Amino acid sequence: MARLVLQRLALLIPTLFGLSILLFLWVRALPGGPATALLGERATPEAVERLNRLYGFDQPLHEQYVRWLGQLLQGNFGVSSRTRLPVLEEFLNRFPATIELTILALVIAVGVGIPLGYVAARYRGRFLDHGTVVASLIGVTIPVFFLAFLLKYLFAVQLGWFPSAGRQSPAMIATHPTGFYVLDGLLTREWDAAWDALLHLVLPALALGSIPLAIIARITRASVIEVQSADYVRTAKAKGLKAPRLRRRVVLRNAMLPVATTIGLQVGLLLSGAVLTETVFAFNGIGSFLADAVFDLDYAVLQGFILFIAVVYALANLAVDISYGIIDPRMRARR
Amino acid sequence: MRVTALAAAAAMALTACAASEREGGGGEATGSDEGGRDTFIFAASADPASLDPAFANDGESFRVARQIFEGLVGTQPGTADPAPLLAEDWEVSEDGLTYTFDLKEDVTFHDGTPFDGEAVCANFERWNNFTGIQQSESLSYYWQKVNGGFASSDVPELDGTGKYDSCEAPDASTAVITMKSPLPEFISALSLPAFSMQSPTAMEEYGADDVTGAADAPILPEYATAHPTGTGPYVFESWTSGQEVVLVGNPDYWGEQGQIQRIVFPVISDATARRQALQAGDIDGYDLVGPADVVALEEEGFQIVNREPFNILYLGMNQANPELADLKVRQAIAHAINKEALVAQTLPEGTEVATNFVPPSVAGWSDQVATYEYDPEKAKALLAEAGKSNLTIDFNYPTNVSRPYMPTPEQVFQSISADLQEVGITINPVPEPWSPEYLDRMQGTPDHGLHLLGWTGDYNDTYNFIGVFFGAPANEWGFNDPELFEMIGDARYQTSVEDQTAAYEAANEAILERLPGVPLAHPVPSLAFSPKVHEYPASPVQDEVFNVITLDD
């Protein structure tokens, strides 16, 4: 197991190196530049040139890249041209928000998706099954931002059940020792602040969790159906294993392996979905900050954040691989 | 299962040892329901770039700065005209080189430092002595722009080229500023938040000038991110980047404190999200309301407050293009455009049709300019006279951009080109992305025909409009008219207000006679508020301080 982890971590290095080159070129291929973005319509050519010189954009591309890479290796990810704060600091400030949102979205997706898929499989061909299949099809096809708008319009603007934007009500006075607002509220026993933060999470998490939920439900359904008709299930049944115990110990456990893989893959989907969801709900996480950085051509933030997200994604997948060993003892035996 | 139990135990343990900081500190009422009466929540479209306004030039920074800081000069409510603020009065010497300010007495900064002549001089000396990274255009933009340079600089064109010379404080309530050469727009410019008075003690203590980082990526000092200290009605409390800025009432304010004791600026960058936050009751108001949202919000019972426009949208006619070099052709185009219809179809409600290249609230706006009323027949006749009945012309316009003076460039283009086709002109559309293609082509090359552009003014200064446009030969317009350049330049350096206004009026009339472009409109900027907000002090130059606002329960 330790060897697997080390191997995978070693593989991360060339991957990130390749990504850094792609990122660097992509960001510079974006139209415009910070100079024109900063100076607006009456910028004199001299002012633009001065700013370009300042940002080093007048130097050849490969020299800019080497300089950037050198800074990266020293842990210097640059400074946001928009907020003028170090990119790493901006990332760490916002990451708890996105983790909080992603975890709740994942909890919804898993907590609703697996039972839904399981129930659909048990009542296969009946009304409940058809309903689940259609609902999950809609869940997969509906664009995240559209669902986000819809949820917000209905439950925040029209009904007023949930707040429409942000992580905490502006009038709420709360302390934030960790940056995870719900946890902060619990730690400091500011129950109203924790509740308020949780309310702010519900709609974005529902929107963000919709696609993973649908995918997980479908995979669970297919997997359970397959396992139900497997030989070992028939054998277990023949040996007189009672139905509830059979379902729990044999069917569900065996059906979970493909589902675990799917959940691991959803992490990438959740992180990319966060860009849209966070923007719609003005949720101050890495996703909305990244979206703003695209509009403002904030090169340092684009480069830094996407690299960080790649690392998070790779680590999440590694965690899934490790979890196989826990679900399926055979994996532990294999090299 | 084990994991869950462990996590629960850990959370309990943490809960037990982490005492609430709130319990000790005041125990104020919390919760959105109770936040009413004295809390005002105004959505910002972005974080402030800097809490130190000397290092900012954007609207969101200035909006926050207006609450915390005050300058020597303010504006008359609802206008762009300079008015006393921290300076009760001022005198300008005959030669325009010496400004003597009588300062308001018994004013202290939020940290208790007295506001006096020494403090004024400390601020001016600070701006003039910015060095290195501090001189970056993205930081000390306005000092550079207004003053024209610094005491010393590595950049030759900024090295000792400023107009400011020195500042003296003969006594606590007087500051005397001396110029090397006249700077006629000085007083108007001082109303910019960039020239706010800041506490010399706090700036010293929190290293206001310690801009670090590399030249390409300045990092602001603690002062500019956590300790802005002014004399205004609100004191800085906190800034959570990407989330919100919070200010609280200044109990020792020299003026009227007002009802609002707490201001929260939540950051909501998406325009639709701002509107929905207002509709959901999460915020009390927001700025930059989209023209399409104005009617809908009004119908739902929200208040729309319009600022008096301080901008201009125009159609440029590049005379380097041989077809447009003919005055008759330019006049024909001006007569062909139905400005009223254009405004009604494409610009926000309340927008005024423009006749000058300056808005009416700026000195020097003239009602005597040639106006070129809508008359398609006359346009056709003028084209025939010029022998250009089958005119084909390039029409440049920007895409994927929304400027305060031009929310939807494509629609403006459609409307005008339909008018021009009506009188027999064939339009060759040249759409380009705003930045850098469109701007580069307008300002850097002679290769364009008709084009859409505009400007939003910074402070009440006619030169800030027509001087920027027509003060010198420019690629945008493609003409060289020394007589006009001289007229505008002379007007700038008139020392008496009456003479200057008359000179600018004459210049505006001369411009419209020559018709380098057609002034189209002064689009009105709108704010939206919940019905409980009253007396929002809308200002053409956004000099809006929230202590005058009142809130219903």
Side-chain angles (χ1 to χ4, degrees):
Chain A
M1 184 65 83
R3 194 166 156 181
L4 172 83
V5 173
L6 284 180
Q7 258 176 6
R8 294 287 298 272
L9 286 178
L11 208 61
L12 196 57
I13 295 168
T15 312
L16 286 179
F17 183 72
L19 182 68
S20 77
I21 294 179
L22 281 179
L23 260 179
F24 183 81
L25 293 177
W26 169 70
V27 161
R28 270 149 194 82
L30 292 172
T36 38
L38 276 170
L39 298 176
E41 47 255 77
R42 300 284 164 195
T44 58
E46 298 83 53
V48 172
E49 195 204 325
R50 203 156 58 229
L51 214 67
N52 279 338
R53 208 164 50 219
L54 207 67
Y55 280 82
F57 295 142
D58 54 341
Q59 289 162 16
L61 264 188
H62 63 274
E63 278 178 29
Q64 291 184 44
Y65 176 73
V66 169
R67 198 165 71 113
W68 178 57
L69 197 66
Q71 288 170 345
L72 280 194
L73 293 178
Q74 295 164 36
N76 175 1
F77 294 89
V79 172
S80 161
S81 65
R82 197 158 50 96
T83 66
R84 295 157 182 172
L85 293 171
V87 171
L88 186 62
E89 193 183 316
E90 290 285 12
F91 186 82
L92 294 177
N93 281 342
R94 288 173 171 78
F95 198 43
T98 302
I99 292 183
E100 217 171 29
L101 176 62
T102 312
I103 287 178
L104 189 62
L106 205 57
V107 164
I108 293 174
V110 172
V112 179
I114 291 181
L116 208 62
Y118 180 73
V119 167
R122 261 196 80 188
Y123 301 97
R124 191 181 173 191
R126 309 248 284 274
F127 175 75
L128 208 62
D129 180 30
H130 293 313
T132 307
V133 171
V134 171
S136 67
L137 199 67
I138 294 173
V140 173
T141 41
I142 199 167
V144 177
F145 70 91
F146 181 69
L147 184 65
F149 267 122
L150 214 64
L151 287 172
K152 180 169 154 185
Y153 183 72
L154 195 63
F155 294 107
V157 177
Q158 288 298 320
L159 297 171
W161 293 353
F162 294 98
S164 74
R167 295 183 66 195
Q168 193 107 64
S169 296
M172 178 70 63
I173 301 164
T175 37
H176 298 297
T178 69
F180 295 91
Y181 280 16
V182 178
L183 185 66
D184 286 341
L186 298 176
L187 291 179
T188 56
R189 298 193 209 169
E190 293 166 357
W191 311 119
D192 51 347
W195 178 244
D196 181 66
L198 190 65
L199 284 182
H200 278 82
L201 276 174
V202 172
L203 292 182
L206 271 178
L208 188 58
S210 65
I211 292 182
L213 189 158
I215 293 174
I216 289 170
R218 286 164 63 108
I219 299 285
T220 308
R221 177 180 174 273
S223 179
V224 169
I225 287 173
E226 198 189 310
V227 173
Q228 268 173 346
S229 53
D231 291 345
Y232 55 85
V233 174
R234 199 185 50 203
T235 310
K237 222 185 267 178
K239 282 170 70 182
L241 204 61
K242 290 275 184 315
R245 195 176 160 84
L246 174 82
R247 284 201 287 268
R248 230 181 22 246
R249 296 290 295 267
V250 182
V251 177
L252 203 53
R253 184 148 187 178
N254 278 296
M256 277 306 102
L257 205 58
V259 177
T261 315
T262 313
I263 293 174
L265 292 175
Q266 302 313 309
V267 174
L269 198 65
L270 286 169
L271 287 174
S272 60
V275 173
L276 295 168
T277 317
E278 289 183 0
T279 306
V280 171
F281 288 98
F283 194 86
N284 183 26
I286 53 174
S288 57
F289 196 67
L290 197 57
D292 289 344
V294 173
F295 288 112
D296 291 348
L297 295 171
D298 197 339
Y299 288 5
V301 169
L302 286 177
Q303 293 169 163
F305 272 42
I306 293 176
L307 270 186
F308 296 144
I309 291 173
V311 173
V312 171
Y313 184 57
L315 293 179
N317 275 330
L318 183 60
V320 169
D321 284 358
I322 294 168
S323 78
Y324 285 166
I326 298 164
I327 298 176
D328 186 352
R330 286 173 302 181
M331 293 282 182
R332 267 173 280 180
R334 258 181 241 160
R335 207 176 61 80
Chain B
M1 200 64 212
R2 252 175 311 165
V3 180
T4 329
L6 199 69
M12 302 256 280
L14 279 166
T15 315
C17 56
S20 169
E21 287 170 40
R22 195 168 50 174
E23 275 162 5
E28 293 118 297
T30 58
S32 48
D33 297 341
E34 299 153 67
R37 273 201 78 67
D38 62 357
T39 300
F40 185 63
I41 304 168
F42 189 95
S45 66
D47 275 305
S50 158
L51 294 171
D52 175 351
F55 286 147
N57 57 52
D58 62 298
E60 295 301 347
S61 298
F62 283 177
R63 196 195 312 280
V64 175
R66 299 265 192 206
Q67 319 303 325
I68 303 174
F69 296 102
E70 292 166 321
L72 293 179
V73 178
T75 58
Q76 297 283 358
T79 76
D81 301 336
L85 192 57
L86 286 179
E88 288 184 322
D89 196 9
W90 51 83
E91 221 167 274
V92 189
S93 67
E94 197 68 9
D95 57 6
L97 293 178
T98 311
Y99 291 78
T100 308
F101 293 94
D102 285 339
L103 307 177
K104 193 173 278 297
E105 288 176 48
D106 298 323
V107 174
T108 55
F109 290 101
H110 299 158
D111 62 348
T113 307
F115 166 74
D116 54 18
E118 296 287 341
V120 173
C121 289
N123 276 282
F124 275 93
E125 284 299 309
R126 172 183 183 231
W127 302 327
N128 198 42
N129 288 292
F130 280 147
T131 55
I133 310 170
Q134 298 160 356
Q135 293 180 358
S136 160
E137 198 125 22
S138 65
L139 295 177
S140 54
Y141 170 85
Y142 275 113
W143 179 259
Q144 192 166 320
K145 186 176 168 202
V146 172
N147 185 51
F150 298 93
S152 70
S153 173
D154 300 335
V155 182
E157 60 263 41
L158 298 176
D159 185 22
T161 51
K163 300 199 165 175
Y164 169 85
D165 183 46
S166 63
C167 177
E168 274 173 66
D171 58 67
S173 64
T174 312
V176 181
I177 288 167
T178 313
M179 298 288 173
K180 288 188 217 155
S181 59
L183 179 58
E185 52 271 26
F186 185 56
I187 291 292
S188 290
L190 285 182
S191 67
L192 281 169
F195 306 129
S196 298
M197 290 295 124
Q198 311 196 41
S199 161
T201 327
M203 289 197 289
E204 175 82 42
E205 186 176 352
Y206 298 107
D209 293 337
D210 302 341
V211 182
T212 54
D216 61 335
I219 300 176
L220 290 175
E222 203 187 347
Y223 179 82
T225 57
H227 296 281
T229 310
T231 58
Y234 295 96
V235 180
F236 174 78
E237 184 174 279
S238 70
W239 173 20
T240 314
S241 168
Q243 195 150 318
E244 61 182 21
V245 175
V246 181
L247 312 178
V248 294
N250 170 11
D252 304 319
Y253 185 51
W254 58 267
E256 182 116 357
Q257 176 58 74
Q259 181 190 349
I260 310 286
Q261 289 302 316
R262 187 177 176 86
I263 305 173
V264 185
F265 294 102
V267 179
I268 305 180
S269 58
D270 181 61
T272 311
R274 282 197 295 277
R275 189 197 71 216
Q276 292 183 325
L278 180 71
Q279 289 171 318
D282 296 335
I283 59 171
D284 296 321
Y286 73 100
D287 198 352
L288 307 172
V289 181
D293 293 338
V294 167
V295 178
L297 284 170
E298 252 174 348
E299 277 172 5
E300 287 173 42
F302 293 95
Q303 307 179 67
I304 300 294
V305 175
N306 290 334
R307 290 195 182 99
E308 196 177 328
F310 205 63
N311 55 18
I312 174 73
L313 165 66
Y314 59 77
L315 176 77
M317 299 190 279
N318 176 20
Q319 294 174 40
N321 182 317
E323 307 284 11
L324 294 172
D326 188 336
L327 179 62
K328 286 211 167 65
V329 172
R330 300 203 298 278
Q331 288 171 339
I333 291 173
H335 279 296
I337 298 173
N338 186 348
K339 292 187 200 173
E340 268 84 11
L342 173 80
V343 165
Q345 287 161 14
T346 70
L347 296 167
E349 247 186 41
T351 296
E352 295 162 45
V353 164
T355 56
N356 287 223
F357 280 89
V358 297
S361 50
V362 169
W365 180 88
S366 165
D367 57 2
Q368 300 296 316
V369 296
T371 51
Y372 309 97
E373 71 288 356
Y374 174 53
D375 188 344
E377 290 312 313
K378 192 166 179 185
K380 282 182 197 161
L382 280 163
L383 284 174
E385 244 178 84
K388 297 277 170 60
S389 289
N390 291 315
L391 183 63
T392 301
I393 195 96
D394 284 354
F395 192 154
N396 303 75
Y397 66 98
T399 56
N400 292 326
V401 70
S402 179
R403 305 301 292 176
Y405 53 79
M406 178 167 62
T408 52
E410 287 91 346
Q411 286 181 17
V412 175
F413 160 77
Q414 292 292 352
S415 172
I416 293 177
S417 63
D419 285 345
L420 296 182
Q421 279 162 358
E422 199 65 26
V423 299
I425 299 174
T426 309
I427 297 294
N428 176 30
V430 190
E432 264 176 321
W434 171 252
S435 171
E437 289 87 352
Y438 186 75
L439 291 177
D440 281 357
R441 182 183 297 279
M442 292 311 119
Q443 275 141 31
T445 76
D447 180 23
H448 51 97
L450 301 173
H451 66 273
L452 295 175
L453 213 56
W455 180 240
T456 302
D458 295 315
Y459 45 89
N460 193 352
D461 172 30
T462 324
Y463 194 82
N464 193 235
F465 285 87
I466 59 173
V468 173
F469 305 153
F470 309 118
N475 278 322
E476 186 183 351
W477 309 101
F479 68 84
N480 189 355
D481 188 341
E483 196 192 339
L484 181 67
F485 301 152
E486 204 181 310
M487 261 182 110
I488 297 173
D490 284 351
R492 184 183 187 191
Y493 289 106
Q494 297 293 328
T495 44
S496 98
V497 175
E498 292 77 34
D499 291 350
Q500 189 177 51
T501 305
Y504 274 136
E505 280 172 4
N508 275 320
E509 286 151 24
I511 291 166
L512 267 297
E513 208 59 55
R514 289 158 168 82
L515 202 63
V518 186
L520 297 173
H522 306 294
V524 64
S526 303
L527 302 117
F529 294 99
S530 87
K532 69 172 185 175
V533 179
H534 301 287
E535 329 239 347
Y536 186 84
S539 148
V541 285
Q542 298 173 35
D543 184 3
E544 295 155 2
V545 187
F546 297 170
N547 61 338
V548 298
I549 296 174
T550 57
L551 293 178
D552 290 343
D553 251 339

